[in-house]
Amino acid sequence: MNRIMTLVAAGLLALASPAFAGDTPAPEGAEVYFVNLSDGDTVQSPVTVIFGLKGMGVAPAGTDAEATGHHHVLIDRPPLGEGPNGEEELNSSLPANEHHRHFGGGQTQTTLDLEPGPHTLQLVLADQNHVPHDPPVTSDVITIAVR
């Protein structure tokens, strides 16, 4: 009986997950931006990155509160929604890897160890499930040079 209940619960969760994807609304005019970096900057590693946010609040991952989210930094990859998964990534949890850094604790800055050379960075605010808001709250992609 426990096995059947477990299978039923797993099936219901699998069906429910897509319903959460991309359904968290972002207030009109919400913006995320780099406070201390601009496109074309030359910096030294480690690179301190300060996240700015306007029109929304920051809350740790897992917190279901209206008009809040947590930060993600996309590194050396196409802009959100324009990668190999395109539209799909706008409606699913962002992965956690070397190109997708998560700040689910509600952090508003980080230090990145980046190799010398050019790097692209983009900020993305995501909901309690690491899914971008609707519409997505993203910064412009900037390119920095690391010495």
Side-chain angles (χ1 to χ4, degrees), residues 66-84:
E66 188 175 330
T68 66
H70 63 280
H71 294 285
H72 297 76
V73 177
L74 308 187
I75 303 168
D76 295 334
R77 52 142 291 160
L80 184 74
E82 297 179 24

Side-chain angles (χ1 to χ4, degrees), residues 34 36-37 47-51 73 108-112 121 123:
F34 294 97
N36 64 322
L37 296 173
V47 181
T48 297
V49 183
I50 302 173
F51 319 141
V73 177
T108 58
Q109 73 177 52
T110 190
T111 301
L112 301 174
L121 303 175
L123 291 172

Side-chain angles (χ1 to χ4, degrees), residues 92-113:
S92 57
S93 293
L94 294 170
N97 57 37
E98 69 275 6
H99 298 288
H100 305 86
R101 304 285 174 88
H102 289 245
F103 300 94
Q107 301 94 318
T108 58
Q109 73 177 52
T110 190
T111 301
L112 301 174
D113 287 314

